[in-house]
Amino acid sequence: MFNRVCNVETIAEGAMRIVIADAHIIVLAWPENGAIKAFQGVCPHSNMPLAEAEFDGTVLTCPSHSWTWDMNTGEPVHPKESALAEYPVKVEDGVVYIDTEGVPPLFASP
Ligand code: FES
């Protein structure tokens, strides 16, 4: 089920923000020249929230140990340990909706 998370004008192309959907912390990112994407908002390394992560318009960097992901795909850039789980997202009438059902966060192997 899609949950309303925010108005689309609260995110700009090349930026990211944290939203909550169905009690999940989610990174809502709009990569440059791409589409709005929704990924797990906790780091696969040690479950840290990615609220203070840096985003350069393509790559998201965890503030704790600098793991990075491509926000077009959620695939890891460095190290190649774990992707971020991606949630279905849609924009309708200026509102962003995310469906978290059946999408567990991913974690790197200990
Ligand atoms: S907690 Fe994110 S890289 Fe270590």
Side-chain angles (χ1 to χ4, degrees):
M1 185 182 81
F2 277 92
N3 292 282
R4 177 189 183 117
V5 292
C6 65
N7 290 333
V8 72
E9 61 261 28
T10 63
I11 181 165
E13 184 173 353
M16 63 79 88
R17 59 167 295 188
I18 294 291
V19 296
I20 305 288
D22 195 26
H24 295 275
I25 303 173
I26 292 170
V27 170
L28 190 66
W30 187 352
E32 287 166 0
N33 303 311
I36 293 177
K37 298 280 187 164
F39 299 101
Q40 72 185 64
V42 292
C43 183
H45 182 209
S46 65
N47 206 10
M48 292 284 291
L50 292 167
E52 304 297 325
E54 285 183 27
F55 183 44
D56 70 0
T58 303
V59 172
L60 186 81
T61 303
C62 178
S64 296
H65 312 98
S66 301
W67 286 22
T68 54
W69 300 269
D70 186 327
M71 286 291 94
N72 290 289
T73 62
E75 288 300 313
V77 178
H78 181 81
K80 299 281 189 191
E81 290 281 352
S82 175
L84 298 176
E86 181 172 0
Y87 302 103
V89 56
K90 67 179 182 180
V91 180
E92 277 180 11
D93 298 328
V95 176
V96 180
Y97 298 84
I98 294 172
D99 184 2
T100 62
E101 203 171 310
V103 184
L106 301 174
F107 294 100
S109 305

Coordinates of all heavy atoms in Angstrom, one line a residue, residues 42-50 61-69 78-79, ligand 1:
V42 N 18.6 3.5 6.6 CA 19.6 3.0 7.6 C 20.7 2.4 6.8 O 20.5 1.7 5.8 CB 19.0 2.0 8.6 CG1 18.0 2.8 9.5 CG2 18.3 0.8 7.9
C43 N 21.9 2.6 7.3 CA 23.1 2.1 6.6 C 23.2 0.6 6.7 O 23.1 0.0 7.9 CB 24.4 2.7 7.2 SG 25.9 2.3 6.4
P44 N 23.6 -0.1 5.6 CA 23.7 -1.6 5.7 C 24.9 -2.0 6.5 O 25.1 -3.2 6.9 CB 23.9 -2.0 4.2 CG 23.5 -0.8 3.4 CD 23.7 0.4 4.3
H45 N 25.8 -1.1 6.8 CA 27.0 -1.4 7.6 C 26.7 -1.7 9.1 O 27.0 -2.7 9.6 CB 28.1 -0.3 7.5 CG 29.3 -0.6 8.2 ND1 30.1 0.4 8.7 CD2 29.9 -1.8 8.5 CE1 31.2 -0.2 9.3 NE2 31.1 -1.5 9.1
S46 N 26.0 -0.7 9.7 CA 25.7 -0.9 11.1 C 24.4 -0.3 11.6 O 24.3 0.1 12.7 CB 26.9 -0.4 12.0 OG 27.0 0.9 11.9
N47 N 23.5 -0.2 10.6 CA 22.1 0.2 10.9 C 22.0 1.6 11.4 O 21.1 2.0 12.1 CB 21.5 -0.8 12.0 CG 20.0 -0.9 12.0 OD1 19.4 -0.4 11.0 ND2 19.4 -1.5 13.0
M48 N 23.0 2.4 11.1 CA 23.0 3.9 11.5 C 22.0 4.6 10.5 O 22.0 4.3 9.3 CB 24.4 4.5 11.3 CG 25.4 4.0 12.3 SD 25.1 4.7 13.9 CE 25.6 6.4 13.6
P49 N 21.2 5.5 11.1 CA 20.4 6.3 10.2 C 21.2 7.2 9.2 O 22.3 7.6 9.6 CB 19.6 7.3 11.2 CG 19.8 6.7 12.5 CD 21.1 5.9 12.5
L50 N 20.7 7.3 8.0 CA 21.4 8.1 7.0 C 21.0 9.5 6.9 O 21.2 10.2 5.9 CB 21.3 7.4 5.6 CG 22.0 6.0 5.5 CD1 21.5 5.2 4.3 CD2 23.5 6.2 5.5
T61 N 26.8 9.4 0.7 CA 27.9 8.9 1.5 C 27.5 8.9 3.0 O 27.0 9.9 3.5 CB 29.1 9.9 1.4 OG1 29.5 10.0 0.0 CG2 30.3 9.4 2.2
C62 N 27.6 7.7 3.6 CA 27.3 7.5 5.0 C 28.3 8.3 5.8 O 29.5 8.2 5.6 CB 27.3 6.1 5.4 SG 27.0 5.8 7.2
P63 N 27.8 9.1 6.8 CA 28.7 9.9 7.6 C 29.6 9.1 8.6 O 30.6 9.6 9.0 CB 27.8 10.9 8.4 CG 26.5 10.1 8.5 CD 26.4 9.3 7.2
S64 N 29.2 7.9 8.8 CA 29.9 7.1 9.9 C 31.3 6.6 9.4 O 32.3 6.8 10.0 CB 29.1 6.0 10.4 OG 27.9 6.6 11.0
H65 N 31.2 5.8 8.3 CA 32.5 5.2 7.7 C 32.6 5.4 6.2 O 33.3 4.7 5.6 CB 32.5 3.7 8.1 CG 32.2 3.5 9.5 ND1 31.0 3.0 9.9 CD2 33.0 3.6 10.6 CE1 31.0 2.9 11.3 NE2 32.2 3.2 11.7
S66 N 31.8 6.3 5.7 CA 32.0 6.8 4.3 C 31.7 5.7 3.2 O 32.2 5.8 2.1 CB 33.4 7.3 4.0 OG 33.6 8.4 4.9
W67 N 30.8 4.7 3.5 CA 30.3 3.9 2.5 C 29.5 4.7 1.5 O 28.8 5.7 2.0 CB 29.5 2.7 3.1 CG 30.3 1.7 3.7 CD1 31.5 1.8 4.3 CD2 29.8 0.3 4.0 NE1 31.9 0.6 4.8 CE2 30.9 -0.3 4.7 CE3 28.7 -0.4 3.7 CZ2 30.8 -1.7 5.1 CZ3 28.6 -1.7 4.2 CH2 29.6 -2.3 4.8
T68 N 29.5 4.3 0.2 CA 28.8 5.2 -0.7 C 27.9 4.3 -1.7 O 28.2 3.1 -1.9 CB 29.8 5.9 -1.6 OG1 30.7 5.0 -2.2 CG2 30.6 7.0 -0.8
W69 N 26.8 5.0 -2.2 CA 25.9 4.3 -3.1 C 25.4 5.3 -4.2 O 25.3 6.5 -3.9 CB 24.6 3.9 -2.3 CG 24.9 2.9 -1.2 CD1 24.9 1.6 -1.2 CD2 25.2 3.3 0.2 NE1 25.2 1.0 0.0 CE2 25.4 2.0 0.9 CE3 25.4 4.5 0.9 CZ2 25.8 2.0 2.2 CZ3 25.7 4.4 2.2 CH2 25.9 3.2 2.8
H78 N 31.4 2.2 -3.2 CA 32.6 1.8 -2.4 C 32.3 1.7 -0.9 O 31.8 2.7 -0.4 CB 33.8 2.7 -2.7 CG 35.0 2.3 -1.9 ND1 35.8 1.3 -2.4 CD2 35.5 2.7 -0.7 CE1 36.8 1.1 -1.5 NE2 36.6 1.9 -0.5
P79 N 32.5 0.6 -0.2 CA 32.9 -0.7 -0.8 C 31.7 -1.4 -1.4 O 30.6 -0.9 -1.2 CB 33.4 -1.4 0.5 CG 32.6 -0.9 1.6 CD 32.3 0.6 1.2
Ligands
FES1 S1 27.6 2.9 9.5 FE1 27.5 3.6 7.5 S2 29.5 3.2 6.7 FE2 29.6 2.4 8.7

